[in-house]
Amino acid sequence: MLLSENHVEIKDMVQKFADAEVAPLAHDIDHNGKIPEDLVRKLGENGFLGSYVPEQYGGAGLDYMSYSIIVDEISRACGSTGVLVSAHTSLCVWPILEYGTEEQKQKYLPKLASGEHIGCFCLSEPNAGSDPGTLATFATDMGDHFELSGTKNFITNGKEADIAVVLAKTSKTNNHKGITAFIVETNVDGFNVQKLEDKLGIKGSSTAQIHFDKVKVPKENMLGEFEKGFKVALSTLDGGRIGIAAQAVGIADAAFKYARMYATQRVQFGKPISALQAIQFKIADMSTKIDASRLLIQRASALKDAGKPYSKEAAQAKLFASEAAMDITTQAIQVLGGNGYTKEYPVERFFRDAKITEIYEGTSEIQRIVIAANEFKSIS
Ligand code: CAA
């Protein structure tokens, strides 16, 4: 699949922004564990936080293909900033756009699209990760509102978020069928960021444990139908997986380009190591896996944009791109040798940032379950 002229233009524009505004900050973002607010503001001003939000709700009115290009290019410059964009857009903006009432869209999307508000998605819990049907967070119907109590784990953007899409049980007996989705404004009483995780990579992106202590949620903030929240969550994750695949290939591309450049400059045995076949084979494999990842991402994005099923294709893109990113960042360190293992060179950061793409929004094992289930469904 080849990108349209329009998508190539978008790619060029985001690339210029990422090179000028994001890449120079990436080392400090990793070192300080924080994405500067000024950068978040610029992401919003450039339309990157509401790329596929229609213009009537203050967005850029682009498609999902453009969104995956944006996440890819921003992540090439900084993996932490890439996931801020991805979690905000795929996991908070999208479910409001897809399942929200007209009032909810008008109320929440313009500020999310402009970056004035940041969004997060609260599904995982200490005892509900790969198996989100077993949530313990409960929303009790109090007549005129719901009262939400429980603990959510590993929430990307949890520290900065103004708006959270939260999944909670509304019935004790029905397993995943008793789950409802809500839009929660995080400035309410009882919304507490309890803990921030210290992580291997994407250190600039906040990963929070959030405690809901009798949080009052207005009835009109229910997202989608009552007790149809599991479908809201899984369909949101389908699109999110394209975003994480794009993050993975962006990080992989950064590692590849650094290793390729280094190989032309590093002289051993009297010549640049790029003249050695052992290095050439690595570069060839890295380049091929990056192209294959992008083709899978583009296919999944095109299906989503066409309104066709894309659950399997999104899982395939995430599975392949994340495992490729891990391999490519490992090989990039190998090309740099001892230098690659030090913090003087960025490839160790790429390696640390890549690992999470095999885990969040569904581990590689979960992606294989989704792919296999779709394959068997197709012949039944
Ligand atoms: N879209 C919509 N509905 C779906 C769906 C999809 N992609 N996949 C399944 N469903 C529906 C089914 O049709 C079924 O509906 P009915 O009850 O009406 O029949 C229902 O969901 C249950 O289906 P399954 O029996 O297949 O569900 P399951 O419990 O076996 O789970 C799973 C399937 C694929 C393992 C799923 O649980 C899953 O994806 N797990 C991983 C969760 C995950 O990715 N967690 C990451 C958390 S988010 C995060 O990372 C935080 C962050 O901030 C980045």
Side-chain angles (χ1 to χ4, degrees):
M1 187 176 298
L2 292 175
L3 292 179
S4 68
E5 248 177 64
N6 188 28
H7 289 126
V8 171
E9 272 173 31
I10 290 168
K11 191 171 173 64
D12 287 348
M13 184 267 288
V14 190
Q15 202 171 332
K16 284 196 184 94
F17 173 88
D19 286 343
E21 305 286 349
V22 188
L25 307 179
H27 174 271
D28 286 355
I29 287 174
D30 176 59
H31 188 72
N32 302 333
K34 185 164 168 41
I35 298 168
E37 282 169 20
D38 192 46
L39 176 55
V40 178
R41 185 183 54 74
K42 287 180 187 164
L43 291 168
E45 279 171 6
N46 280 274
F48 301 148
L49 294 172
S51 47
Y52 51 71
V53 173
E55 289 173 10
Q56 69 184 111
Y57 302 117
L62 300 173
D63 55 9
Y64 218 82
M65 184 77 81
S66 307
Y67 162 69
S68 63
I69 291 168
I70 290 167
V71 175
D72 177 343
E73 285 300 328
I74 301 282
S75 303
R76 185 183 52 75
C78 172
S80 293
T81 309
V83 76
L84 181 144
V85 176
S86 179
H88 165 91
T89 317
S90 302
L91 303 184
C92 182
V93 169
W94 188 81
I96 296 176
L97 189 58
E98 180 70 14
Y99 294 102
T101 61
E102 188 52 36
E103 289 73 23
Q104 288 171 342
K105 290 186 207 179
Q106 284 182 16
K107 182 169 180 191
Y108 292 111
L109 291 177
K111 285 187 179 170
L112 285 166
S114 69
E116 191 179 330
H117 282 173
I118 293 298
C120 71
F121 178 70
C122 300
L123 175 66
S124 301
E125 298 184 357
N127 294 313
S130 291
D131 182 10
T134 56
L135 298 183
T137 296
F138 205 87
T140 309
D141 190 339
M142 306 297 279
D144 63 338
H145 68 275
F146 286 95
E147 188 178 270
L148 199 58
S149 289
T151 301
K152 294 290 181 181
N153 241 18
F154 302 140
I155 307 305
T156 303
N157 297 347
K159 187 172 139 224
E160 303 80 11
D162 304 281
I163 305 297
V165 169
V166 182
L167 283 301
K169 281 268 171 75
T170 35
S171 128
K172 283 194 175 133
T173 48
N174 288 338
N175 206 6
H176 74 263
K177 291 186 193 291
I179 293 174
T180 304
F182 298 93
I183 304 172
V184 177
E185 299 180 16
T186 65
N187 60 0
V188 291
D189 285 345
F191 183 100
N192 301 312
V193 175
Q194 291 210 135
K195 176 176 142 200
L196 290 170
E197 306 295 345
D198 187 8
K199 311 184 296 292
L200 173 72
I202 57 157
K203 286 170 111 43
S205 157
S206 72
T207 307
Q209 186 177 75
I210 294 171
H211 186 62
F212 295 82
D213 182 16
K214 296 186 178 165
V215 169
K216 219 171 157 177
V217 183
K219 280 264 160 94
E220 65 264 25
N221 277 28
M222 191 171 83
L223 182 60
E225 289 176 54
F226 184 66
E227 303 208 328
K228 294 277 192 255
F230 200 64
K231 287 191 187 210
V232 173
L234 291 193
S235 59
T236 297
L237 284 167
D238 280 341
R241 288 166 184 165
I242 303 177
I244 299 306
Q247 185 203 13
V249 78
I251 295 168
D253 196 27
F256 163 68
K257 287 188 171 127
Y258 201 93
R260 186 181 61 182
M261 180 269 296
Y262 182 92
T264 63
Q265 294 173 359
R266 172 75 173 168
V267 174
Q268 291 289 279
F269 307 105
K271 54 190 172 192
I273 60 170
S274 58
L276 303 173
Q277 206 174 46
I279 300 296
Q280 290 169 358
F281 282 7
K282 285 192 197 301
I283 296 297
D285 289 347
M286 291 158 113
S287 157
T288 305
K289 285 179 184 174
I290 286 169
D291 283 2
S293 299
R294 288 210 171 107
L295 288 169
L296 286 171
I297 292 164
Q298 287 166 20
R299 180 182 66 167
S301 302
L303 287 170
K304 185 164 167 58
D305 282 331
K308 295 192 173 153
Y310 64 94
S311 186
K312 180 186 85 170
E313 290 78 6
Q316 287 176 320
K318 181 180 183 292
L319 173 65
F320 187 88
S322 62
E323 292 191 348
M326 210 49 231
D327 183 34
I328 289 163
T329 55
T330 304
Q331 293 307 323
I333 294 182
Q334 198 66 18
V335 171
L336 270 76
N339 284 333
Y341 199 65
T342 72
K343 287 196 182 279
E344 264 187 59
Y345 293 81
V347 288
E348 64 82 34
R349 167 163 54 84
F350 303 144
F351 171 85
R352 288 186 287 105
D353 285 353
K355 180 60 200 171
I356 189 62
T357 65
E358 291 184 314
I359 299 171
Y360 56 19
E361 300 195 34
T363 60
S364 292
E365 292 72 17
I366 289 292
Q367 307 313 320
R368 288 186 167 91
I369 288 173
V370 172
I371 296 162
N374 275 280
E375 285 300 342
F376 286 118
K377 199 166 71 182
S378 72
I379 55 165
S380 64

